[in-house]
Amino acid sequence: MEPMEKQYNPTAVEDRIYERWMAERRFAADPGSRKEPYSIVIPPPNVTGILHMGHALNNTVQDILIRYKRMCGYEALWMPGTDHAGIATQNVVERKLAAGGKSRHDFSREDFVNEVWKWKDEYHERITTQLKKLGSSCDWARERFTMDEGLSRAVRAVFVKLYNDGLVYRGKYIINWCPRCRTALSDEEAEHRDMQGTLYTFVYPYADGSGSLKVATTRPETMLGDTAVAVNPKDERYRDVVGRTVMLPLANREIPVITDDFVDREFGTGAVKVTPAHDPNDFQMGLRHNMEPIMVMDETAHMCGPIPEKYAGKDRFECRKLVVEDMRAAGLCTEIKEHAHAVGHCYRCHTMVEPYYSDQWFVKMKPLAEPALKAALDNDITFYPARWRKTYITWMENIRDWCISRQIWWGHRIPVWYCDSCGEVIVAEETPAACTCGSANLRQDEDVLDTWFSSWLWPFSTMGWPDKTAVLDRFYPTNALVTAPEILFFWVAKMLMAGRYCTGRLPFTDIVLHGTVRDKSGKKMSKSLGNSIDPLEVIATHGADALRFSLMMITAQGADVFLGKDTFDIGRNFANKLWNASRFLLGNITEKTHFRSLPPAERRAAVDKWILSRLAQTLEGVRSSLDSYRFNEMCRQLYDFTWHDFCDWYIEAKKADLYQSDDQVRAADALNLCGFVLGAILKVLHPVMPFVTEEIWGHLRAKVDYAGLIDNESIMAGSFPEPADDLVDRGIEEQFALLREVIVALRTIRAENNVPPDKKGTALIIPRSDREASWLTSQVPLINLFGKLSETVVDGSARKPSFAGQTVVMGNQVFLELEGLIDKDVEIERLNKEIDKARKLAENTKKRLENPGFRDKAPGNVVAKEEEKYQGILQNLEKLERNLKAFAEA
């Protein structure tokens, strides 16, 4: 094998390694295996465009889990696939057509759907390419699409089953309607945003001309469809008007005054207009009082129906202005004031949704929700973080029926046919040839099913359901689902319901919910805001491992992720550090070396026992973090151990053993120990950094044969390291904590006193006890090495040097003699200048903080940073003054 390159180049490594993995079928799961199964289904990305950083985060988490479980000996399946994303995909294709001056209505339904399939084929390829670039180890041979033949059959089977069980029905109902997409939306798809609106107070005259009633509304344009005015039955103000009638202004219709407990006495005047066709709460009120809804708006949110001609055909917002103007002109508008309220918007095109009265298909959710709710109450499912359990339970307890029909062309056509001859409704999995009356004059329902109607079947439909397949039998239920909390109700809850209903089993037990990706200012990343970061660009400049490790390092469980382009330097620098350390160690091996075990205990120095103990503790911590889905903790432990313990301390400490040629056993033991630790690091790092670890693994295998450690040609097929309790030595770790603190203290003294790097000094340590004295004396060679010293004296009875930098470490006095290292007079002059500079800076910062204009106008985080800066200046000034005093007294 060629020697390791001087610098790690992910561009030259990653594609080559991934192609090799694919050729060797490393990601393939075998349903016939006797290993314990472990499975995850990918949250299928929408075929609407390229992946974003949220996808990178989500799929990195999944890949870590699947690689970890493979290495732990499981037969691991990661099921890939993509989602047809009905409304979203139709929208992007319509925008593409619009750019060419066309709309979907210029095509037949079949031709338009063919256009969408072309889009799907192109962007599906882009999405899978991106996932592979990220290192995703999916079983690509099993890839699915929510509209492929098998999943389409599953969708029809479930619809028919629900219908036959009385859980699917068609009815006229008030639903969320997007006037832009011209389709119904589920409650979850209508995203509510807080907005500053307007509250209008209108006068409705009594029909007998004896007075009037004041009514409050935020929707003047819908008053044309009012069927009543409602007040609370306990509202004494209106006790005498209930049962009377008022004249509906502008429409000149007589409508009754009714009572209903839903009316909030504190809202507006306490009297509200009732418009059953255009408000969900009014619709329910209308049902309670047997009121016929009056539709005054069409599917494009333009005014229609039994209304004055001047408003007909007007856009809803244009009509609102006209109504208000006319009411004011008639002296029937008494107050207009600002009013904050939440308004639903389409989750895809962000148009303000309209409550709309129409025929739609629904699923009865209460019967389906009960088993899925019980699963949470009985802790059969676990949420990570746990706080989402309460949110889930609350939502399930208050679940409403699900509107599943969509008035678009792209999606699963509802498997319902109507006989134009006899009116029969046929619900079937296969297209019927004829009605029971013998007529072949059948017409299929024009609507398609909600995208989530196919997605809620994803965990088992991808494995072959409704057929009984070997994959379904072996890998279902799956183990964990990794997704974002914003689709907890869109998708996760529905999958739990569908899994129980269709298979009798929950589709997964662990629900891992990660946060939202934001920029460093806290704004959600989006293309429209111009603050998004393209994962492929990061991979091109830093490598996939750098992207993966950086994301995981900064992402606490369930917390949002705050990214800047410099974030990914964390992973790139770490990969380079690992590469350079590996290159150094393997460069010291001239021919293939065989090790059967670690050196015997009597040949292990204290530093060897320390690194082995730290390794064992790290392995235990990493396993615990992975098993509890705390990926940032896993990365922090690996980073600290690899960078600091292994590279900065252990390798540096062993260089003398590696470089010397007098004692071959000593040199071999050093290589043995370094190789053992490096091999373990590569294995435990592999799930999060698969490419660089596989590349170094190949070089390690070429140089070292280590029984029980180097156990496979590919690292991803190797065994995940087990923590070895017999290597744990807490005593040696405590001793090394002291040693490192002493060395760091000596380095700090050098830095604070501007000691030139090439000058070696003398240190004195006055220990606090004989135990510390014995330990530190035994480690003088390491103290000298890391502290850049020519001599270190450990003496409990020694006197303090006259001219020295000093500190106290865990009760032990540490001195660095400065005589001969620096010029005392020059250093005093420098310190005086630094003190003057620090005092001026402290004075200016204090004035700024005491300025009321700054405190009142500056954002809170800016003030907090300035206060933190001020405290830092004071601490630095105190240190400078302390050093000056020490020099003056020396």
Side-chain angles (χ1 to χ4, degrees), residues 6 33 105 119 142 228 262 300 365 422 428 523 527 582 596 629 683 690 702 710 715 744-745 790 843 885:
K6 187 174 182 180
S33 169
H105 301 291
W119 173 281
R142 301 187 189 280
F262 176 78
T300 65
M365 298 301 279
C422 70
K523 292 177 183 174
K527 198 178 292 183
S582 303
R596 291 286 165 261
Y629 306 105
K683 280 188 165 185
I710 302 178
I715 192 171
V744 168
S790 56
E843 186 179 343
K885 182 182 178 183

Side-chain angles (χ1 to χ4, degrees), residues 286-555:
L287 291 177
R288 289 192 290 272
H289 296 273
N290 297 313
M291 289 186 283
E292 187 67 30
I294 299 173
M295 292 189 66
V296 295
M297 218 177 287
D298 67 16
E299 63 180 16
T300 65
H302 285 74
M303 307 307 292
C304 67
I307 61 175
E309 188 176 347
K310 71 175 294 185
Y311 305 118
K314 296 288 191 293
D315 171 78
R316 54 183 167 165
F317 300 119
E318 184 183 358
C319 181
R320 179 179 298 180
K321 291 178 183 177
L322 280 175
V323 166
V324 173
E325 287 172 5
D326 291 346
M327 290 293 283
R328 294 182 75 172
L332 299 177
C333 178
T334 62
E335 186 179 23
I336 300 175
K337 65 180 181 180
E338 290 187 347
H339 174 69
H341 60 157
V343 181
H345 288 73
C346 176
Y347 81 119
R348 282 303 173 190
C349 71
H350 310 298
T351 300
M352 193 179 294
V353 301
E354 194 62 48
Y356 194 65
Y357 183 59
S358 65
D359 280 315
Q360 301 290 339
W361 286 95
F362 295 87
V363 175
K364 292 180 182 177
M365 298 301 279
K366 278 285 185 188
L368 296 172
E370 287 171 2
L373 172 60
K374 188 175 185 296
L377 294 172
D378 293 347
N379 294 313
D380 293 333
I381 51 175
T382 306
F383 291 87
Y384 299 87
R387 65 177 183 269
W388 287 106
R389 177 179 179 270
K390 184 178 179 181
T391 306
Y392 170 87
I393 288 171
T394 301
W395 187 80
M396 294 294 274
E397 287 175 338
N398 296 279
I399 198 165
R400 295 169 61 182
D401 286 357
W402 172 21
C403 176
I404 57 170
S405 45
R406 298 291 180 269
Q407 290 67 46
I408 58 175
W409 288 350
W410 173 246
H412 295 279
R413 193 93 172 256
I414 291 178
V416 174
W417 289 262
Y418 307 98
C419 178
D420 289 335
S421 299
C422 70
E424 179 75 15
V425 177
I426 303 168
V427 179
E429 293 185 38
E430 302 296 334
T431 303
C435 177
T436 53
C437 72
S439 172
N441 192 15
L442 300 178
R443 172 176 45 87
Q444 187 173 0
D445 197 300
E446 291 290 322
D447 292 350
V448 301
L449 289 162
D450 178 11
T451 290
W452 303 101
F453 196 89
S454 53
S455 300
W456 76 329
L457 314 177
W458 187 251
F460 49 91
S461 63
T462 52
M463 298 187 190
W465 187 93
D467 294 334
K468 294 181 178 179
T469 67
V471 175
L472 185 68
D473 181 63
R474 185 69 171 149
F475 293 107
Y476 182 85
T478 66
N479 296 83
L481 179 80
V482 181
T483 190
E486 53 259 36
I487 56 173
L488 179 59
F489 310 122
F490 273 128
W491 190 45
V492 180
K494 289 186 175 77
M495 282 192 289
L496 289 164
M497 289 184 265
R500 271 292 171 104
Y501 176 67
C502 296
T503 72
R505 294 182 289 179
L506 294 169
F508 36 75
T509 51
D510 289 359
I511 300 165
V512 184
L513 300 166
H514 57 71
T516 300
V517 178
R518 303 181 182 277
D519 65 18
K520 286 199 169 179
S521 70
K523 292 177 183 174
K524 185 175 179 179
M525 281 196 171
S526 74
K527 198 178 292 183
S528 60
L529 291 176
N531 64 347
S532 61
I533 299 174
D534 184 351
L536 284 187
E537 289 182 8
V538 176
I539 291 171
T541 57
H542 290 64
D545 288 331
L547 183 148
R548 292 164 61 114
F549 187 85
S550 302
L551 279 176
M552 293 298 99
M553 181 85 158
I554 64 171
T555 305

Side-chain angles (χ1 to χ4, degrees), residues 636-651:
R636 171 54 63 187
Q637 292 171 85
L638 290 173
Y639 183 93
D640 288 345
F641 177 77
T642 304
W643 191 301
H644 301 302
D645 294 348
F646 184 58
C647 296
D648 288 352
W649 290 93
Y650 187 68
I651 290 179

Side-chain angles (χ1 to χ4, degrees), residues 834-847:
E834 289 288 329
I835 288 168
D836 288 342
K837 184 178 175 183
R839 282 174 178 164
K840 287 177 183 176
L841 188 58
E843 186 179 343
N844 291 336
T845 307
K846 184 180 180 183
K847 284 180 181 177

Side-chain angles (χ1 to χ4, degrees), residues 1-205:
M1 192 171 186
E2 293 292 322
M4 293 177 70
E5 295 290 337
K6 187 174 182 180
Q7 291 183 317
Y8 177 58
N9 180 7
T11 305
V13 168
E14 293 178 350
D15 286 348
R16 168 172 51 80
I17 285 179
Y18 199 90
E19 287 171 8
R20 194 182 88 207
W21 285 333
M22 288 288 286
E24 295 172 354
R25 301 187 75 249
R26 294 288 182 185
F27 311 150
D30 178 10
S33 169
R34 292 186 177 181
K35 296 178 183 177
E36 186 176 346
Y38 181 89
S39 60
I40 295 175
V41 290
I42 196 171
N46 296 343
V47 288
T48 48
I50 60 174
L51 301 185
H52 50 67
M53 201 56 77
H55 292 108
L57 171 65
N58 178 267
N59 287 285
T60 295
V61 170
Q62 292 175 84
D63 197 45
I64 289 171
L65 291 174
I66 214 74
R67 288 178 183 271
Y68 168 56
K69 292 298 182 177
R70 278 197 199 102
M71 295 180 76
C72 288
Y74 289 81
E75 190 63 37
L77 167 65
W78 185 9
M79 180 72 75
T82 47
D83 196 305
H84 70 281
I87 295 174
T89 306
Q90 179 156 319
N91 275 344
V92 295
V93 174
E94 287 195 58
R95 282 199 295 268
K96 179 185 175 185
L97 293 174
K102 294 184 177 182
S103 78
R104 69 165 157 140
H105 301 291
D106 295 322
F107 297 79
S108 68
R109 180 170 186 152
E110 183 180 357
D111 288 343
F112 176 78
V113 169
N114 286 336
E115 289 294 315
V116 186
W117 275 107
K118 290 176 188 175
W119 173 281
K120 175 264 172 187
D121 291 340
E122 178 184 351
Y123 280 88
H124 160 265
E125 188 63 32
R126 292 189 190 187
I127 288 166
T128 54
T129 298
Q130 287 174 308
L131 288 171
K132 290 173 181 177
K133 281 280 187 184
L134 187 65
S136 303
S137 58
C138 303
D139 189 347
W140 292 108
R142 301 187 189 280
E143 186 182 3
R144 304 305 300 267
F145 176 56
T146 52
M147 280 178 63
D148 68 28
E149 185 178 344
L151 269 67
S152 295
R153 189 161 69 89
V155 165
R156 292 193 299 272
V158 170
F159 185 93
V160 172
K161 177 176 168 60
L162 288 165
Y163 183 84
N164 291 337
D165 288 346
L167 296 175
V168 161
Y169 65 93
R170 183 172 173 80
K172 215 167 182 60
Y173 205 80
I174 193 96
I175 47 90
N176 302 295
W177 181 269
C178 175
R180 155 64 183 77
C181 300
R182 299 191 193 182
T183 185
L185 301 171
S186 68
D187 290 339
E188 295 77 37
E189 290 169 327
E191 297 177 342
H192 281 77
R193 301 178 191 169
D194 291 330
M195 298 182 67
Q196 192 62 46
T198 307
L199 185 65
Y200 304 86
T201 301
F202 290 160
V203 174
Y204 283 27

